Amino acid sequence: MDAAPRTPAREVVPLADLEDPMAGSRPLRADAVRNRTKILAAAREQITRHGPDVPMDAIAEAAGVAVGTLYRHFPTKTDLVGAVIAEHSEIITGEIEAAAARVGEGSRAMAEITRLAERTVEASARDRSVKAAAQTLGAAHWTEQQEERFRGAMERIIAAAVSDGDLHPDVTVDDFLMLILTAPTDQEPAVRDRWLTLFLAGFTVQSRERNAGD
């Protein structure tokens, strides 16, 4: 008796890549994951170059996919921009969680806060056109899950910096969020660096003590 023909092996896709916000919990095929990744990269590039009014068909062309494929993944531009922002926010959230882990292993918390602030402000400067588009279209900057993870990790870092005697006890996660949201991302790097130095100085115990003694 002849052996049954073998079914060709399917490409294995990481679990993190299988979720499509437009498809609920239904998993994506490997080719759909690749298309979604290309669409997000093209959207970021096109919005950065041309602003929030860039047509959806221009994004599809830049991604090398059919317009119908784009709309199957993202029915509206708000959905698309929201996904780009969520991707950006996930990177920031991951960096904060990594910093919290390093603090748990003995890294100085204030040094981690400074590095996080520097990287976050620069990332926001690179993506400011996308963020402007999100604001124009009403797309959310953070998912609830991302904000929960962000706050949990930042609370651990802040508590460690206060315990080290570097950070003033009244500094909160909301203060760090204010730093991110009010950064002068439309200015030159030297201006952003100066602004960040002054902003972070207001967080520290040493700065408050000097001001109190004046």
Side-chain angles (χ1 to χ4, degrees):
M1 184 174 178
D2 294 335
R6 291 186 178 180
T7 302
R10 296 180 65 186
E11 181 174 349
V12 177
V13 182
L15 263 177
D17 293 335
L18 294 178
E19 184 179 348
D20 182 355
M22 298 300 109
S25 59
R26 187 174 69 243
L28 290 174
R29 299 189 315 272
D31 59 339
V33 171
R34 287 192 293 270
N35 284 339
R36 188 174 188 274
T37 300
K38 290 191 293 185
I39 290 167
L40 289 174
R44 181 185 299 277
E45 178 189 14
Q46 291 296 306
I47 292 170
T48 299
R49 286 185 178 183
H50 306 295
D53 295 328
V54 61
M56 292 285 269
D57 57 354
I59 294 173
E61 182 179 357
V65 301
V67 174
T69 299
L70 188 155
Y71 278 107
R72 278 197 297 275
H73 285 277
F74 306 104
T76 70
K77 189 182 287 186
T78 300
D79 294 325
L80 176 55
V81 172
V84 174
I85 286 291
E87 187 178 56
H88 167 86
S89 299
E90 181 61 28
I91 292 171
I92 293 175
T93 301
E95 288 192 352
I96 292 170
E97 288 176 328
R102 288 193 295 272
V103 169
E105 294 169 356
S107 180
R108 193 80 176 184
M110 193 64 210
E112 293 292 347
I113 289 174
T114 301
R115 282 193 289 267
L116 277 173
E118 291 169 349
R119 287 199 295 269
T120 302
V121 168
E122 288 310 302
S124 296
R126 288 194 301 272
D127 285 340
R128 67 187 180 88
S129 296
V130 177
K131 288 193 169 185
Q135 186 171 4
T136 299
L137 297 169
H141 282 209
W142 304 84
T143 66
E144 289 184 10
Q145 184 186 46
Q146 284 172 337
E147 184 169 355
E148 183 178 341
R149 289 165 51 205
F150 168 97
R151 285 184 174 277
M154 275 307 304
E155 284 170 359
R156 296 195 298 275
I157 297 171
I158 287 171
V162 171
S163 179
D164 288 341
D166 295 330
L167 197 67
H168 199 277
D170 68 358
V171 175
T172 67
V173 175
D174 287 330
D175 293 323
F176 191 81
L177 278 171
M178 181 169 60
L179 182 154
I180 296 171
L181 295 174
T182 62
T185 54
D186 58 338
Q187 299 296 314
E188 294 298 318
V191 175
R192 295 198 298 269
D193 289 346
R194 177 62 175 163
W195 176 88
L196 189 58
T197 297
L198 295 174
F199 201 116
L200 286 174
F203 284 3
T204 63
V205 169
Q206 293 84 352
S207 176
R208 303 286 187 92
E209 289 176 346
R210 284 197 299 270
N211 290 337
D214 290 342

